[in-house]
Amino acid sequence: GRAASPPSGGATSIVKPAAARSSAERIADICHVEAAMYGLIRMYTPQNETAAMTTVRQRLLSESERQRHLQMKARSLLILATQYAVERKLSRCLEAALQSYEIANRMSDTDLMVGSLRAIAAAYTNLGEEEEGLKAHYSAAQLIHSRAVSPLRACQIYVMFAASLADTDHVLGHEI
């Protein structure tokens, strides 16, 4: 007979990294364990969110810190910043994003720097500190002009910066 095709949807996308993580843990391959954990939690989606996902995010952060894997640590901090933003824990979001930026800057990882600045700008703006938010957006825009970044990251920055400028003008009573 014919082989059954895998089910479609979110469950399949979670099963593959989970199986990879389990296999990597069995052979004690910490780099692949980290990569599999990252695959599990890199996208925050409320539909798939469980307490276990939060635990995996925290474990990835502690493992990457323990192993001194700076890029993975910066990525996990950025993922935590996203989680905190959705949970409206804005101070924690800002703290995680600032730490992510600091690490990315030391490594000269432009894409992570821009992503971190994006989270920093959103956190400041949501905390009511529009000027600091605009400064972070401007810094991100400067980075995309001076260094290579993915087109997706560049579009994200431009859209968020434009929205921030529009919101600031609205707050100040100006028309665009």
Side-chain angles (χ1 to χ4, degrees), residues 113-147:
M113 289 169 65
V114 170
S116 299
L117 284 167
R118 198 174 118 227
I120 290 166
Y124 274 131
T125 301
N126 287 318
L127 286 166
E129 297 182 37
E130 286 84 11
E131 189 173 324
E132 291 300 317
L134 287 173
K135 285 179 187 176
H137 280 304
Y138 184 71
S139 294
Q142 284 181 311
L143 272 175
I144 40 184
H145 282 291
S146 65
R147 301 182 189 177

Side-chain angles (χ1 to χ4, degrees), residues 13-86:
S13 62
I14 291 173
V15 171
K16 290 176 185 177
R21 176 181 164 205
S22 177
S23 296
E25 284 175 336
R26 253 192 326 274
I27 62 170
D29 183 345
I30 193 62
C31 290
H32 282 99
V33 169
E34 286 179 355
M37 285 192 292
Y38 179 72
L40 276 171
I41 51 101
R42 73 183 186 92
M43 299 298 283
Y44 182 95
T45 54
Q47 302 86 345
N48 296 332
E49 193 58 28
T50 64
M53 297 299 250
T54 300
T55 302
V56 173
R57 283 187 195 96
Q58 293 294 338
R59 181 168 173 226
L60 177 59
L61 178 59
S62 63
E63 266 311 304
S64 60
E65 194 167 345
R66 190 172 68 81
Q67 297 293 329
R68 294 189 175 101
H69 294 161
L70 294 179
Q71 187 176 46
M72 189 59 74
K73 181 179 178 183
R75 286 180 177 175
S76 62
L77 283 163
L78 193 51
I79 291 166
L80 279 169
T82 301
Q83 174 187 329
Y84 295 145
V86 171

Side-chain angles (χ1 to χ4, degrees), residues 130 134 162-176:
E130 286 84 11
L134 287 173
S164 235
L165 286 171
D167 289 345
T168 301
D169 273 351
H170 176 71
V171 168
L172 298 175
H174 300 286
E175 287 294 320
I176 295 179

